[in-house]
Amino acid sequence: MMQGLMQHHPLLISGLLTHAAREHGKVEIVSRTVEGPIHRTTWAGIAERAARVAHALRRLGVEPGERVATLAWNGYRHLELFFGVSGAGIVLHTANPRLFPEQIEYMLTHAEDRVLFFDVTFAPLVASLATRLTHVHTYVALCAREDLPDAPIPNLVAYEDLLAPESPSIDWPALDETAASSLCYTSGTTGHPKGVLYSHRSTLLHAMSCGMVDGMGVSALESILVCTPMFHVNGWGTPYTAAMTGAKLVLPGAHLDGASLYSLLRAEAVTLTLGVPTVWLGLMAYVAREGLKPRDELRLRRVLVGGSAAPPALVLEFERVFGARVLHAWGMTETSPLGTTCTPRAEHDGADLEARVALQASQGRPPYGVEFRITADDGRVLPRDGASPGHLLIRGHWVAAAYFGSDAGPILDADGFFDTGDIATISDNGYLYITDRAKDVIKSGGEWISSIDLENAALGHPGVAEAAAIGVHHPTWQERPLLVVVAKPGAALTAEALTSYLTGRVAKWWLPDAIEFVAELPHTATGKLQKMKLREQFRDYRLPGT
Ligand code: ADP
């Protein structure tokens, strides 16, 4: 074989940071701190302190390939760790502090983390776990010495004290690009959380893809409010994409309520934001309550919605109230996460609002580097006809090949595809439509009812704040849909009114057999509907007529 005669540089996370510092050094990184005030730094500032992080970890004796953990909100210190830890060849394990303490203990033990960096808000949690975390030798509170928490935590240092003696410059090690860079655990709704171990190469290829116009379309003009926690699949890769493109980052800290987000959107002239639907429902409710005029006050142009399905009602509301486009995206921890984004193709050129909103109900299409397949229960590959739902399989450059330290065995099929656990259709022009998670599908008389479709239809009713459809036992049909609804404050909504609204909007045999109103619905640690808990809650529910 004749080799090409081009330069070869490994794709490394440190390279992203040096690029951002050199070309976009003055671009701001704005954080709402856990202490309260807004903090401002720049990509150059992040690079200097990331270098100090790398030196400090070396001084602490952490070896390349070892893991260090964070329990932290979105903020500049967490961003420094994203680059400083991985840049040094150490693996950044971003633990999700919203999980149960037993799950957190399980993950920190399983990952054998050597150092634990934590926001002071989590001091009580860390103190309660510390005696059992035998691998952790140093605890670092992300604060200055005067803010150190008064909690029984051994070998505790303040982050600022750790960084102070170190040099702000560094020659980043020339790692192999396939070296591990970060570790995220799935939230483990069934069984133990599973670790997904990203590499420098997968992270950079993912970031490149995100930056592209038909991905997230990120440019140096962007000011990005990251409402996705940095412990949820690396903040959907946004820290890396922003460094690559020179975008400004706005990191909201612990507060994702409507008022806190709105003030950042306005003050920081945010153009692009991303997060799960629950966050946006909160923002919408705040805007409506306060009678605000986001169209006049904000520069927001695009909202990336993922993690669970973006309901058409939300897409429409962003268009009408904010003058902003929703960018619907699909992904999971195992896919870094971006697998699809819903961007138009030539055939959609000139589409009106209604057609655009209809298109946005789709999770979109894959970029180069990601390939999908849908299969029947027997493994047969199903046609791309937009009508045959099947198991969604994926393979690509930023898709997991195995779980970290798992004896669960191979997770890929003979063709190298990973089963996502989702059920989807794919249209003839390549658009993915997730109908359900396999375990959430409502199986009625051998046919499948999409809980997502039912929920989306219900959310179109102006009196519905949130809705969840689950299958409950039925003696004849095996399962029939029960719709559990949170009504908007002040809405006089009845089951009859909602059923007649849904009639004609979904197939007749999909209409829920019953509708129950509740004050709130259970959510997971990443803000998604917790169907399993809901199914437990309604396990003995008797549908009318049974
Ligand atoms: P967890 O939900 O367990 O925290 P992930 O964040 O990895 O873990 O979740 C991935 C799952 O979230 C996907 O398999 C899919 O079921 C769901 N999901 C993500 N994005 C969307 C979307 N746009 N529409 C519908 N479901 C989605």
Side-chain angles (χ1 to χ4, degrees), residues 51-364:
R52 291 175 189 263
V53 167
H55 293 307
L57 285 171
R58 237 172 259 165
R59 175 164 52 86
L60 290 177
V62 184
E63 297 289 335
E66 290 191 318
R67 278 76 59 203
V68 305
T70 60
L71 280 171
W73 303 112
N74 293 8
Y76 67 102
R77 290 178 176 125
H78 207 176
L79 190 66
E80 292 157 10
L81 292 167
F82 260 57
F83 290 97
V85 174
S86 303
I90 297 161
V91 179
L92 180 80
H93 170 203
T94 50
N96 181 344
R98 292 204 191 117
L99 295 175
F100 295 121
E102 307 78 61
Q103 283 177 311
I104 297 173
E105 180 188 336
Y106 169 83
M107 291 186 297
L108 298 179
T109 306
H110 185 262
E112 301 182 5
D113 295 308
R114 311 309 310 263
V115 179
L116 174 55
F117 294 88
F118 63 96
D119 270 333
V120 290
T121 21
F122 302 118
L125 171 69
V126 173
S128 74
L129 294 178
T131 52
R132 293 196 295 281
L133 300 177
T134 45
H135 298 283
V136 177
H137 58 62
T138 308
Y139 291 85
V140 184
L142 293 168
C143 63
R145 187 182 306 177
E146 57 271 25
D147 296 319
L148 265 180
D150 182 17
I153 300 171
N155 300 325
L156 176 65
V157 290
Y159 183 73
E160 296 304 332
D161 283 349
L162 185 73
L163 264 49
E166 305 297 344
S167 164
S169 66
I170 189 169
D171 282 330
W172 293 104
L175 308 167
D176 186 321
E177 66 180 19
T178 57
S181 56
S182 68
L183 175 66
C184 289
Y185 283 77
T186 62
S187 55
T189 33
T190 50
H192 279 313
K194 296 188 282 288
V196 178
L197 190 62
Y198 308 100
S199 70
H200 286 261
R201 176 187 155 84
S202 72
T203 303
L204 263 80
L205 293 176
H206 176 259
M208 276 189 194
S209 180
C210 288
M212 286 171 69
V213 175
D214 276 355
M216 279 164 62
V218 180
S219 81
L221 297 173
E222 230 76 64
S223 167
I224 311 177
L225 174 64
V226 190
C227 300
T228 308
M230 287 161 76
F231 53 76
H232 191 210
V233 211
N234 297 317
W236 298 356
T238 320
Y240 310 116
T241 309
M244 186 174 273
T245 53
K248 167 180 168 178
L249 281 180
V250 184
L251 305 171
H255 302 292
L256 295 179
D257 59 286
S260 305
L261 294 184
Y262 196 85
S263 78
L264 285 175
L265 287 169
R266 187 170 44 201
E268 302 306 327
V270 170
T271 55
L272 168 66
T273 182
L274 55 154
V276 292
T278 331
V279 168
W280 308 129
L281 295 176
L283 177 66
M284 288 297 180
Y286 170 76
V287 166
R289 202 166 56 236
E290 301 293 314
L292 299 168
K293 299 263 179 298
R295 257 179 190 278
D296 305 335
E297 293 179 342
L298 306 184
R299 287 190 56 207
L300 189 65
R301 292 289 165 269
R302 290 175 311 133
V303 182
L304 188 115
V305 183
S308 31
L314 183 73
V315 177
L316 199 59
E317 212 163 334
F318 266 120
E319 291 263 357
R320 290 215 174 112
V321 183
F322 283 71
R325 287 269 164 101
V326 163
L327 201 55
H328 194 184
W330 172 93
M332 58 195 308
T333 311
E334 289 87 339
T335 67
S336 294
L338 227 64
T340 60
T341 39
C342 191
T343 47
R345 302 167 59 110
E347 59 263 36
H348 304 115
D349 205 21
D352 61 13
L353 180 63
E354 200 181 334
R356 239 180 23 235
V357 172
L359 177 69
Q360 290 293 61
S362 155
Q363 280 72 11

Side-chain angles (χ1 to χ4, degrees), residues 309-465:
L314 183 73
V315 177
L316 199 59
E317 212 163 334
F318 266 120
E319 291 263 357
R320 290 215 174 112
V321 183
F322 283 71
R325 287 269 164 101
V326 163
L327 201 55
H328 194 184
W330 172 93
M332 58 195 308
T333 311
E334 289 87 339
T335 67
S336 294
L338 227 64
T340 60
T341 39
C342 191
T343 47
R345 302 167 59 110
E347 59 263 36
H348 304 115
D349 205 21
D352 61 13
L353 180 63
E354 200 181 334
R356 239 180 23 235
V357 172
L359 177 69
Q360 290 293 61
S362 155
Q363 280 72 11
R365 55 198 174 86
Y368 160 76
V370 169
E371 226 183 306
F372 285 111
R373 208 175 244 191
I374 42 170
T375 59
D377 284 340
D378 61 8
R380 210 167 17 97
V381 176
L382 293 170
R384 293 179 163 220
D385 59 6
S388 316
H391 301 276
L392 180 69
L393 312 185
I394 182 173
R395 72 177 175 194
H397 297 300
W398 47 90
V399 178
Y403 289 115
F404 173 65
S406 159
D407 43 20
I411 61 169
L412 306 184
D413 70 11
D415 294 330
F417 280 89
F418 168 76
D419 185 342
T420 63
D422 284 349
I423 303 296
T425 62
I426 302 179
S427 68
D428 59 356
N429 57 354
Y431 285 82
L432 190 72
Y433 190 91
I434 305 280
T435 59
D436 253 308
R437 280 190 161 189
K439 55 184 187 292
D440 294 339
V441 158
I442 303 167
K443 294 185 175 128
S444 172
E447 302 269 9
W448 289 357
I449 296 176
S450 159
S451 65
I452 295 180
D453 272 354
L454 270 181
E455 289 154 11
N456 280 348
L459 282 164
H461 189 289
V464 174

Side-chain angles (χ1 to χ4, degrees), residues 4-27:
L5 291 174
M6 304 308 287
Q7 298 184 8
H8 177 80
H9 303 283
L11 299 169
L12 298 179
I13 287 172
S14 55
L16 286 179
L17 185 63
T18 46
H19 168 79
R22 188 175 56 237
E23 306 300 333
H24 308 283
K26 294 196 176 113
V27 173

